[in-house]
Amino acid sequence: MSGTVAPKLSKDFIWGFATASFQIEGSTDVDGRGKSIWDDFSKQPGKTMDGRDGDVATDSYRLWKEDIALLAQYGVKSYRFSVSWSRVIPLGGRNDPVNPKGIQFYSNLIDALLENGIVPFVTLYHWDLPQALHDRYGGWLNKDEIVQDYVRYAKVCFESFGDRVKHWLTMNEPWCISILGYGRGVFAPGRSSDRERSPEGNSSTEPWIVGHSVILAHAYAVKLYREEFKASQGGQIGITLNGDWAMPYDDSPQNVEAAQHALDVAIGWFADPIYLGHYPDYMKQMLRERLPEFTPEELAVVKGSSDFYGMNTYTTNLCRAGGDDEFQGFVEYTFIRPDGTQLGTQAHCAWLQDYPQGFRDLLNYLWKRYKLPIYVTENGFAVKDENSKPIEEALQDNDRVNYFKGTTSALKAAVLEDGVDVRAYFPWSFVDNFEWQACLLYHHRIFGVTYVDYETQKRYPKESAKFLVKWFGNNIDAAEKPSNKAPPALPQKVADYPSGHFGLEGPSIVQGLKA
């Protein structure tokens, strides 16, 4: 019928963009910040693409007001960002001094977000462990020390920001912390059994030890929040896990089983203890005595230690039995179907193809298995060769637009047709930024929906940003849409932007966007 109104997402649905402290802030030696494990690691030859480090990144420590103005112009409901542990407690430890300038920076950021009607969605740990803790006792390898230090850091944040922050993420992607940092050795601190990559480390034991420590640090921080802060502050707290959909290569029993094994290692390793109270059986069979055990007291703290399911996902893998990679559960990943066709559009990263049905399938799997509301805290696409394109071409990021067309449609279908309780969606990422390292084929400009000219630090919305702003404006119940947050009329080409736009001189961001 012509008069039928299409159903929309709830007026309470949260959407916005996501970032991480080390990838955007820069100013690594400013105002008392201590080193994180990424500071020196990113300067080692061959560790990052083009030899870039995080010393400047997108200069957001200095340009945070401009960034918030752009977020407001986009009309986002929320902004997911992370706090730098070593900016708040430079040496990291429970007996080390707190840095008042670090506290003030994040407090000012939170206040400004709220003044612009933007909900702060705060990640406590996005991979940037204070270097001092790694040097002092091995960081995540020392469960007894790191849990206490992390909980104290979390307490400082709850005390300092919790009166205004109502959405907390304890950890970002424990799988990456554990496997990429202590197994493959491609993320800081770069430990691995591969002596060509790292002078020290044991890939057969350290990742599982680290993962265990991360779970416990998360759980005890949640325990602290619930016991000492939740009643007065009224927030939610949980963890966000990475994990892509695993689809059997074909209908053979061994490949169906392989797909489940892939999910067990990529997701169940962390989700099953936290939501179900035990490690997956396949993990126990695969690792045996190498998989640490929780004491009964620890398990009582771990089980149920997340108010929601935080979901970071990017792609779908076709899964075949017989792989040789323990970190993938001895499952072979491919994007090539039995008939020889590709699963979807290839991204710049070898590990990423566009397949929106897999996004919907994963939402359904997580909802049925863990039975908690889902917050999609990362999802995005790396346009092939975008880093080398001239700005005018890079702004026309059609493959990313098509990716988001698929995932937003799948998200809406999962909610309205399948009954999945999804409450938030944060595309990755708000701006082009420092990307972590070379071995995963990352570049410094492949995921952002906002182009950053690194010579001038000016920001330019890409077509993907415009699409997302318009889509959420049209697909969330209008009752929640503030009158001052109408979708912006963004300039259509670079020449339309005034000189000085988004920089420290000349017109403000908002003036530039309204030009």
Side-chain angles (χ1 to χ4, degrees):
M1 295 177 59
S2 59
T4 301
V5 177
K8 296 185 178 184
L9 299 172
S10 164
K11 61 184 177 59
D12 299 317
F13 191 89
I14 297 171
W15 82 277
F17 297 121
T19 60
S21 54
F22 190 76
Q23 292 179 271
I24 66 164
E25 285 181 0
S27 298
T28 53
D29 59 354
V30 169
D31 291 340
R33 178 191 179 275
K35 280 187 178 182
S36 82
I37 54 174
W38 274 95
D39 286 67
D40 290 342
F41 181 82
S42 65
K43 292 180 171 63
Q44 295 178 31
K47 297 299 186 184
T48 63
M49 188 64 72
D50 302 333
R52 290 179 176 263
D53 56 44
D55 286 356
V56 177
T58 62
D59 208 14
S60 292
Y61 186 78
R62 293 194 311 117
L63 301 179
W64 64 272
K65 292 180 181 178
E66 285 84 348
D67 282 346
I68 290 176
L70 179 55
L71 288 164
Q73 189 67 30
Y74 280 162
V76 302
K77 282 191 179 182
S78 185
Y79 177 46
R80 180 192 168 207
F81 65 94
S82 76
V83 174
S84 167
W85 186 346
S86 60
R87 202 178 286 285
V88 170
I89 308 174
L91 298 177
R94 55 195 178 276
N95 297 314
D96 294 322
V98 174
N99 177 22
K101 290 186 177 180
I103 296 291
Q104 192 63 53
F105 170 73
Y106 292 110
S107 187
N108 291 342
L109 178 69
I110 290 163
D111 284 346
L113 288 169
L114 292 170
E115 288 165 6
N116 282 275
I118 300 170
V119 173
F121 210 106
V122 178
T123 308
L124 290 172
Y125 185 79
H126 199 125
W127 306 347
D128 48 354
L129 181 75
Q131 182 68 46
L133 300 186
H134 180 75
D135 295 341
R136 191 178 297 170
Y137 54 72
W140 293 110
L141 290 167
N142 190 323
K143 178 189 76 171
D144 294 336
E145 294 290 337
I146 193 67
V147 170
Q148 293 184 70
D149 285 345
Y150 176 81
V151 170
R152 190 268 185 141
Y153 159 62
K155 184 175 184 178
V156 169
C157 291
F158 299 151
E159 290 174 337
S160 302
F161 316 127
D163 57 331
R164 292 155 290 161
V165 173
K166 307 306 175 186
H167 298 275
W168 295 100
L169 295 170
T170 55
M171 301 284 179
N172 181 78
E173 301 187 345
W175 189 96
C176 292
I177 297 169
S178 308
I179 297 299
L180 302 184
Y182 297 82
R184 302 200 195 284
V186 294
F187 275 15
R191 294 177 65 88
S192 170
S193 293
D194 183 349
R195 290 295 167 258
E196 293 185 359
R197 184 168 289 167
S198 172
E200 54 188 11
N202 186 334
S203 300
S204 70
T205 58
E206 290 188 3
W208 322 113
I209 294 169
V210 167
H212 199 71
S213 297
V214 169
I215 292 172
L216 288 167
H218 147 78
Y220 278 95
V222 171
K223 181 176 186 290
L224 172 75
Y225 183 79
R226 288 174 174 171
E227 291 178 352
E228 299 187 20
F229 296 95
K230 187 175 178 68
S232 61
Q233 296 181 354
Q236 288 190 314
I237 188 167
I239 192 169
T240 197
L241 308 177
N242 60 296
D244 297 319
W245 182 236
M247 190 164 67
Y249 179 73
D250 55 28
D251 293 333
S252 67
Q254 62 268 31
N255 289 334
V256 171
E257 184 179 54
Q260 184 59 54
H261 290 168
L263 291 169
D264 288 343
V265 176
I267 293 174
W269 175 11
F270 298 97
D272 281 15
I274 290 168
Y275 299 109
L276 305 180
H278 55 77
Y279 280 124
D281 287 340
Y282 181 66
M283 293 280 293
K284 297 175 185 177
Q285 296 166 11
M286 185 178 79
L287 299 175
R288 300 185 184 276
E289 69 280 356
R290 288 183 292 142
L291 184 64
E293 294 183 3
F294 296 107
T295 67
E297 295 77 15
E298 289 172 341
L299 194 57
V301 177
V302 169
K303 185 178 181 182
S305 60
S306 190
D307 295 335
F308 50 83
Y309 189 99
M311 169 181 162
N312 287 4
T313 192
Y314 288 83
T315 193
T316 293
N317 292 297
L318 290 165
C319 297
R320 288 190 293 212
D324 59 2
D325 188 343
E326 183 173 68
F327 302 145
Q328 292 178 186
F330 296 110
V331 175
E332 181 185 352
Y333 290 173
T334 182
F335 290 131
I336 303 174
R337 297 185 180 92
D339 64 4
T341 60
Q342 295 284 320
L343 192 65
T345 300
Q346 179 62 50
H348 185 83
C349 310
W351 53 268
L352 173 53
Q353 285 196 359
D354 182 0
Y355 186 70
Q357 181 60 43
F359 181 74
R360 182 176 180 178
D361 291 341
L362 181 59
L363 286 170
N364 275 273
Y365 172 84
L366 297 173
W367 171 239
K368 291 172 183 175
R369 185 174 179 90
Y370 302 117
K371 301 178 175 62
L372 280 177
I374 298 170
Y375 291 75
V376 182
T377 45
E378 282 186 31
N379 180 240
F381 190 80
V383 174
K384 197 170 183 60
D385 298 324
E386 184 177 56
N387 186 61
S388 60
K389 294 178 179 179
I391 180 174
E392 290 83 1
E393 189 176 348
L395 294 179
Q396 305 298 316
D397 56 341
N398 295 325
D399 283 351
R400 185 177 291 112
V401 171
N402 289 333
Y403 178 91
F404 284 129
K405 284 181 178 178
T407 52
T408 51
S409 177
L411 167 68
K412 189 175 179 181
V415 173
L416 299 178
E417 298 176 29
D418 306 337
V420 180
D421 187 359
V422 186
R423 299 189 182 181
Y425 181 74
F426 291 89
W428 183 269
S429 62
F430 168 45
V431 289
D432 290 333
N433 51 43
F434 169 85
E435 281 294 351
W436 297 99
Q437 53 80 44
C439 299
L440 294 184
L441 301 183
Y442 283 165
H443 253 297
H444 60 280
R445 189 196 311 290
I446 58 172
F447 278 102
V449 301
T450 306
Y451 184 97
V452 177
D453 181 334
Y454 289 113
E455 298 303 316
T456 64
Q457 291 294 344
K458 294 178 185 179
R459 276 76 156 139
Y460 302 90
K462 300 178 188 178
E463 289 302 313
S464 56
K466 298 175 188 179
F467 166 78
L468 288 162
V469 167
K470 182 177 180 180
W471 192 91
F472 281 103
N474 291 336
N475 286 278
I476 295 179
D477 191 307
E480 182 70 7
K481 205 163 49 179
S483 60
N484 66 337
K485 293 293 186 71
L490 301 173
Q492 296 302 305
K493 54 185 182 293
V494 175
D496 292 337
Y497 289 93
S499 61
H501 158 68
F502 292 179
L504 293 176
E505 305 85 28
S508 71
I509 292 176
V510 176
Q511 290 172 326
L513 286 171
K514 290 182 176 178

